[in-house]
Amino acid sequence: MESIEEAITFLGGPAAIWVLAAAYFSSVILERLWALRGNPEYNNKDALCSIGLNLINSVFGLLIGFLIPLTLYVVVFEQFRLFDTLALWLAIPLAFLIHELAYYWDHRLAHRVGLLWAIHSIHHSSNEFNHTTAARGFLIDPHVKTLFLLPAALIGIDPVVFVGVTVLTNAYGIWNHASWVPRLGWLDRVLMTPKMHKVHHANQLQYIDRNYSQVTLLFDYLFGTTAHIDEEPNPGLVKPTYDYNPLTAQFVGFRQLKDRIDTADRWEDKLAYLWHPPEWSHDGVCRSDCPKYANLNPA
């Protein structure tokens, strides 16, 4: 238990960001080396765009995505916790379950609220699926998840423990974007393996808005959002984009949202696009984020 405590203390301390950065870039480099032999169609332009998006997101997101949520967590832990700090053997599994549930609902909202989807869709805008896409994100993420994480502080899970567990789950979230991992049999029924997460990135009708969780399939099963593989998943948006400039690719979701808003004449309808699901339209016409768009507008 002492070695586990030391590991969690290390991961939950100042090294957290560097551990994740090392996990991301080492995964990207090793996957690219593997692709030299096993995947000659590896898209270098797309990969470099994803890495650029990650660097921009990391710089701007350090405050909003890490320091502010951590400060809020610490305040709740120090001022409002209901119990004394929990024992490590209990705190670690509880931290994992709370983080997994928070990730699920934050991710699901990002897909089901128009404005949040405009932000999150950059993560899905790559037409490739590999380690580079794991941290492909918008320069400012609202991090709704922070609100879902506060119960962990409220019940007394030490911030260092919670950050340490978060680092481990996020490192797993990098791995589950691997292009080189095949189907894993029964593990695909339990964990969010790379193939199961590739389903989430796919633009086929049967795969859209499925497999939201990060590490396990527990909450997808519980809330009825699980999809298993039948045909090979095809990653990308239902209205694909081919912008490899990280400075302009940032805004693909907002461009598609604006295109839909511009079809409405009434302000009530225009504003409704911000909170309705991304496939919604004021006149019932299937546009860009509508799951049937690809079938109605074949390339």
Side-chain angles (χ1 to χ4, degrees):
M1 184 62 72
E2 185 176 339
S3 59
I4 295 176
E5 184 174 359
E6 290 174 352
I8 288 292
T9 301
F10 172 75
L11 292 172
I17 294 174
W18 298 109
V19 169
L20 285 176
Y24 175 73
F25 285 106
S26 62
S27 298
V28 167
I29 292 169
L30 291 173
E31 185 176 51
R32 186 64 188 95
L33 292 174
W34 169 85
L36 293 175
R37 180 184 64 85
N39 182 15
E41 297 180 354
Y42 188 96
N43 190 327
N44 290 302
K45 286 184 178 180
D46 185 88
L48 289 173
C49 178
S50 293
I51 292 170
L53 287 164
N54 173 30
L55 293 174
I56 294 170
N57 172 256
S58 297
V59 171
F60 282 88
L62 181 61
L63 178 64
I64 296 175
F66 182 73
L67 295 180
I68 292 178
L70 179 60
T71 299
L72 184 58
Y73 188 101
V74 170
V75 168
V76 173
F77 176 80
E78 295 290 348
Q79 302 296 327
F80 303 105
R81 70 177 184 266
L82 301 176
F83 309 103
D84 289 334
T85 303
L86 299 179
L88 198 61
W89 65 268
L90 182 59
I92 290 176
L94 283 177
F96 172 76
L97 286 173
I98 292 172
H99 185 274
E100 189 79 345
L101 181 60
Y103 184 96
Y104 175 91
W105 279 110
D106 175 74
H107 200 179
R108 186 166 177 173
L109 286 173
H111 279 253
R112 303 307 299 148
V113 177
L115 180 59
L116 296 181
W117 171 245
I119 295 170
H120 179 65
S121 59
I122 182 59
H123 182 67
H124 289 261
S125 63
S126 173
N127 301 304
E128 309 293 328
F129 182 80
N130 54 48
H131 282 309
T132 67
T133 64
R136 185 183 179 107
F138 187 62
L139 64 109
I140 297 176
D141 190 322
H143 283 273
V144 178
K145 181 172 64 177
T146 302
L147 299 177
F148 298 123
L149 297 177
L150 294 181
L154 199 60
I155 64 173
I157 297 176
D158 189 280
V160 171
V161 174
F162 198 83
V163 172
V165 170
T166 299
V167 167
L168 291 174
T169 57
N170 286 347
Y172 182 94
I174 295 170
W175 174 78
N176 72 13
H177 288 78
S179 63
W180 49 270
V181 177
R183 297 190 189 188
L184 297 177
W186 65 269
L187 286 175
D188 290 335
R189 300 277 171 175
V190 179
L191 299 177
M192 192 61 69
T193 61
K195 283 296 186 182
M196 290 301 288
H197 190 59
K198 189 176 183 180
V199 165
H200 175 74
H201 275 256
N203 55 24
Q204 291 105 311
L205 183 61
Q206 71 272 28
Y207 294 148
I208 292 175
D209 293 338
R210 295 290 183 268
N211 296 7
Y212 289 115
S213 298
Q214 186 174 38
V215 178
T216 74
L217 288 165
L218 173 63
F219 294 110
D220 283 291
Y221 280 128
L222 185 62
F223 297 114
T225 53
T226 308
H228 295 281
I229 297 176
D230 45 33
E231 64 176 313
E232 182 64 22
N234 180 44
L237 300 174
V238 291
K239 183 181 181 180
T241 182
Y242 300 95
D243 188 345
Y244 298 126
N245 182 340
L247 296 177
T248 55
Q250 288 276 342
F251 303 101
V252 58
F254 285 95
R255 289 196 296 268
Q256 293 190 1
L257 176 61
K258 180 181 181 300
D259 289 343
R260 296 195 302 278
I261 289 175
D262 287 346
T263 63
D265 295 321
R266 299 190 313 154
W267 275 105
E268 298 93 323
D269 292 331
K270 289 180 180 292
L271 292 174
Y273 279 98
L274 300 179
W275 59 79
H276 276 293
E279 73 275 10
W280 178 86
S281 67
H282 69 285
D283 53 7
V285 175
C286 180
R287 297 186 179 92
S288 67
D289 289 310
C290 168
K292 297 179 181 179
Y293 178 88
N295 295 332
L296 297 173
N297 300 271

